Amino acid sequence: MTDSGPGSTAGSGPASGTERGSEGLSVTIVDGYVDEPAHFGVPPYISTYPRYTAGALVDAGVPPEQITYHTIDGLRDEPDRWRDIDEADLMIYLGGMTVPGKYVGGTPAEPDEVRKLAWTANGTSLMGGPVKFGVGDENAGATETERQDLDFDFVAKGDVEAAVHDLVESGLEGFNNRMRDVDEVSRWAQQGAFVVEQHPNHPDYLIAELETSRGCAYRCSFCTEPLYGNPTFRPPPTVVGEVDALADYGVKHFRIGRQADILAYGGDGEAPNPDALRQLYGGIREVAPDLETLHLDNMNPITIVEWPEQSREGIRIIAEHNTPGDTAAFGLESADPLVQEENNLNVTAEECFEAVKIVNEEAGWRPGGPDDPTADSSQSDSNVRQLPKLLPGINLLHGLKGEREETYQHNREFLQRVYDEGYMLRRINIRQVMSFDGTDMSDTGAEIANEHKKLFKRYKQQVREEIDNPMLERVASPGTVLSDVHLEYHQDGRTFGRQLGTYPLLVGIPGERELGRTIDVAVVDHGYRSVTGVPYPLDLNDASMDELTAIPGVGDRTAGDIVVNRPYDSVAAAELETTIDVDEFVTTRPFEHAD
């Protein structure tokens, strides 16, 4: 690898940028997927990196028609696409996972696959994204990482989009590591929107990650976000303009996920700025009136506690404009005071509880329900029970400095209190730490996490059984309707799918249905982090035995009687005796017209 510092150069491919000029370059972008504390990029998400990189190329003079974009899954599925890697004058790899995760929609690139990209490229190769922070053997908790060049000509140690821009302008000779500024990212975000059309999931099963800010005012020991510096914000018109451009290319699903704290958007990095949120959300709704998903991710609970009234106003603005099922991820990380102190965590368990309470009060209502504060509920069918508009999610991280057996008890007690006092959490994320150079956790590494693996496993199962399951039933009680569930895979005679959005519920549906379609689903049962559902509305005159027996209280005998005695003129004629009221999600259509 050539160090891409000041004055550095690297040999390019057969035809250098100097010889052909930027307008003659062929460029291939490979998306190996990213996952950061404030940034999703594994399908169905598309991160900002490929879009900004494409925009930077265009800004540097590369015609859009000479920019090819592939996901790592696309290369796996269609080996012929590797020809684009081989023949490109410039090949750019984007990737890196700085939080552990399990994924359904795609599989992040492995280090050996990334090396193969570098070996295949005959032109200049550049690698960037959060991969610059380090590479692990696997994307899992309780791991340590190290920086590796993976045999690329260049590694962008600053912003990869800035490196790409400057590398092209230099004739592929080199670049200075630097961070892009707000004006640049505002241009590149719009100029690179076209690349979404080359994503395999486009247009129906793709959600675009939106960046409102970068950096964090706080310095938690484990997190890579502070490595971007203090918060810097993109003005509302620039984000709205990006949404406008993406909508022009067919995107209807958006997640405002790339920020440490949505409530602090447009302010000083800590205090809320409701006016900026109103401009942002109102502007998005104006330029994309037909959007189908508008969700967010990170919200700092300490902001809500320190500035409760401004926070309440900001939360109300979000809930007015977003779509149901939204989640505000709270980085509690640990309810143990000792762990909080040793890792510079900024919120106590008591403060986080207060923040959970406030979000429930201001945004825990269901569209069309009795608590819906909006004057116009025309977007919702008042007879349909939907997910709440916005609920908190709790992040708990294990393996931090100072962790002890009592830490696990503190966390369980916090979660139990939330449930016992009647509040809702959309999801509980429990994971073990990943250690990266440049963070305070680099000295501790994964030692504590590895020592506590057995304890962690028992505790996680206990939380799933005692908290997750009853909490999920509270959030999505039987009869709750989940619209536009994308059917993704088959397993054990069932079809599984998810809505698009932040932390969507996994839905299991009886029978093997055609994949790639979307259907509405009514919830009938609950697991720890998933639900069982039946098509909504379920037609008694056409429903299968498996669908009928999925309804609580309907066993094999009752289902058999329903099938034998149909058709029915009405649901009442079936004389169903169930443990739930099925009238809201069961119907009868004339038998001869049933699908």
Side-chain angles (χ1 to χ4, degrees), residues 157-169:
K157 298 186 179 76
D159 279 327
V160 63
E161 53 268 34
V164 165
H165 178 273
D166 296 352
L167 181 62
V168 169
E169 288 206 328

Side-chain angles (χ1 to χ4, degrees), residues 196-350:
V196 298
E197 292 190 312
Q198 299 182 45
H199 195 287
N201 288 20
H202 181 272
D204 297 325
Y205 193 36
L206 189 65
I207 181 166
E209 190 83 334
L210 300 176
E211 174 187 316
T212 65
S213 69
R214 223 170 40 161
C216 186
Y218 303 98
R219 297 293 183 267
C220 300
S221 68
F222 60 90
C223 189
T224 56
E225 191 62 23
L227 299 180
Y228 289 106
N230 290 324
T232 56
F233 299 97
R234 294 176 59 194
T238 70
V239 182
V240 172
E242 179 182 5
V243 171
D244 194 11
L246 288 166
D248 285 344
Y249 287 104
V251 177
K252 292 189 175 182
H253 305 274
F254 303 92
R255 196 185 90 113
I256 306 173
R258 185 68 178 95
Q259 70 274 315
D261 180 9
I262 186 63
L263 288 180
Y265 172 67
D268 61 4
E270 297 183 50
N273 185 344
D275 288 339
L277 286 172
R278 189 174 288 107
Q279 293 178 51
L280 175 67
Y281 274 86
I284 289 173
R285 280 293 193 173
E286 184 175 347
V287 299
D290 298 325
L291 66 79
E292 297 176 10
T293 304
L294 181 57
H295 280 186
L296 61 90
D297 194 350
N298 295 293
M299 185 180 289
N300 200 330
I302 195 62
T303 304
I304 300 174
V305 175
E306 294 286 345
W307 296 276
E309 293 311 311
Q310 297 99 310
S311 294
R312 284 181 183 271
E313 183 180 357
I315 292 166
R316 287 194 295 269
I317 291 167
I318 293 169
E320 177 186 351
H321 293 91
N322 70 352
T323 53
D326 202 357
T327 306
F330 281 3
L332 172 61
E333 315 305 351
S334 180
D336 184 345
L338 178 62
V339 176
Q340 292 167 2
E341 181 178 357
E342 293 208 17
N343 294 273
N344 202 30
L345 305 183
N346 62 43
V347 65
T348 67
E350 186 62 36

Side-chain angles (χ1 to χ4, degrees), residues 433-452:
V433 71
M434 296 176 76
S435 176
F436 291 90
D437 286 339
T439 69
D440 290 345
M441 275 299 296
S442 60
D443 294 334
T444 304
E447 180 180 345
I448 296 173
N450 284 315
E451 287 178 357
H452 291 173

Side-chain angles (χ1 to χ4, degrees), residues 34-39 49 95-99 127-136 143-150 155-160 179 214-215 222-229 258 434-439 442:
V34 303
D35 193 358
E36 300 181 88
H39 202 173
Y49 289 105
M97 323 298 284
T98 63
V99 292
M127 176 175 68
V131 68
K132 69 185 178 183
F133 295 127
V135 178
T143 58
E144 299 178 13
T145 65
E146 59 181 356
R147 182 172 292 178
Q148 299 179 24
D149 60 42
L150 300 176
V155 175
K157 298 186 179 76
D159 279 327
V160 63
M179 308 301 279
R214 223 170 40 161
F222 60 90
C223 189
T224 56
E225 191 62 23
L227 299 180
Y228 289 106
R258 185 68 178 95
M434 296 176 76
S435 176
F436 291 90
D437 286 339
T439 69
S442 60

Side-chain angles (χ1 to χ4, degrees), residues 51 54-56 58-59 64 184 186-195 245 249:
R51 290 150 34 209
V58 172
D59 202 37
E184 287 177 320
S186 299
R187 291 198 310 274
W188 298 344
Q190 295 189 45
Q191 290 173 312
F194 72 92
V195 83
Y249 287 104

